């Protein structure tokens, strides 16, 4: 099990027939972990998962839009990161981590 920091941006549009609320709700359901979970702020959460960083982002982004939404997760224990979606400044984000993988 690893602890992950997750930040996200979900566009306030209907994309591929799914509304913002539908995509947000699906994302939050996938983010929730009985092992540990915190999300009091608007677009940042902590969660515990047995998935790899890349697998976690793949799981969280299943119902999101690669052109409209963005998810970034990182594991502070090994400084791996992964992202899904429209990331404008990958080089800047990658400079903070040992790995930065697009999924």
């Amino acid at each position: 099990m690893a602890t992950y920091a997750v930040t996200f941006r979900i566009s306030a549009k209907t994309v591929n027939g799914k509304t913002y609320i539908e995509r947000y709700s699906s994302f939050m359901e996938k983010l929730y972990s009985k092992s540990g979970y915190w999300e009091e702020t608007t677009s940042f959460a902590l969660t515990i998962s047995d998935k790899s960083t890349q697998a976690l982002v793949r799981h969280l982004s299943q119902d999101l839009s690669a052109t409209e939404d963005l998810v970034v997760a990182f594991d502070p224990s090994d400084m791996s990161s992964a992202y899904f979606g429209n990331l404008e400044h990958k080089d800047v984000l990658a400079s903070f981590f040992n790995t930065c993988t697009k999924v």
Side-chain angles (χ1 to χ4, degrees):
M1 296 292 234
T3 298
Y4 291 98
V6 179
T7 188
F8 55 94
R9 178 188 67 227
I10 300 175
S11 176
K13 298 178 181 178
T14 297
V15 181
N16 298 326
K18 294 183 180 177
T19 66
Y20 164 83
I21 294 297
E22 290 170 327
R23 293 189 337 275
Y24 178 84
S25 296
S26 173
F27 177 82
M28 295 307 284
E29 285 173 14
K30 289 174 177 58
L31 185 65
Y32 175 77
S33 169
K34 289 181 183 177
S35 299
Y37 172 81
W38 177 82
E39 56 84 16
E40 285 186 57
T41 58
T42 305
S43 61
F44 177 85
L46 298 172
T47 192
I48 295 174
S49 176
D50 60 357
K51 294 175 174 33
S52 70
T53 309
Q54 294 80 14
L56 176 66
V57 171
R58 265 191 232 80
H59 174 71
L60 294 174
S61 62
Q62 286 176 343
D63 294 322
L64 300 183
S65 165
T67 59
E68 299 293 333
D69 303 323
L70 176 64
V71 176
V72 178
F74 79 92
D75 178 347
S77 70
D78 67 5
M79 293 306 286
S80 63
S81 67
Y83 70 95
F84 167 88
N86 190 5
L87 179 63
E88 188 174 339
H89 301 287
K90 181 190 180 210
D91 55 331
V92 177
L93 180 66
S95 72
F96 289 94
F97 303 104
N98 292 332
T99 62
C100 185
T101 308
K102 181 176 184 174
V103 299

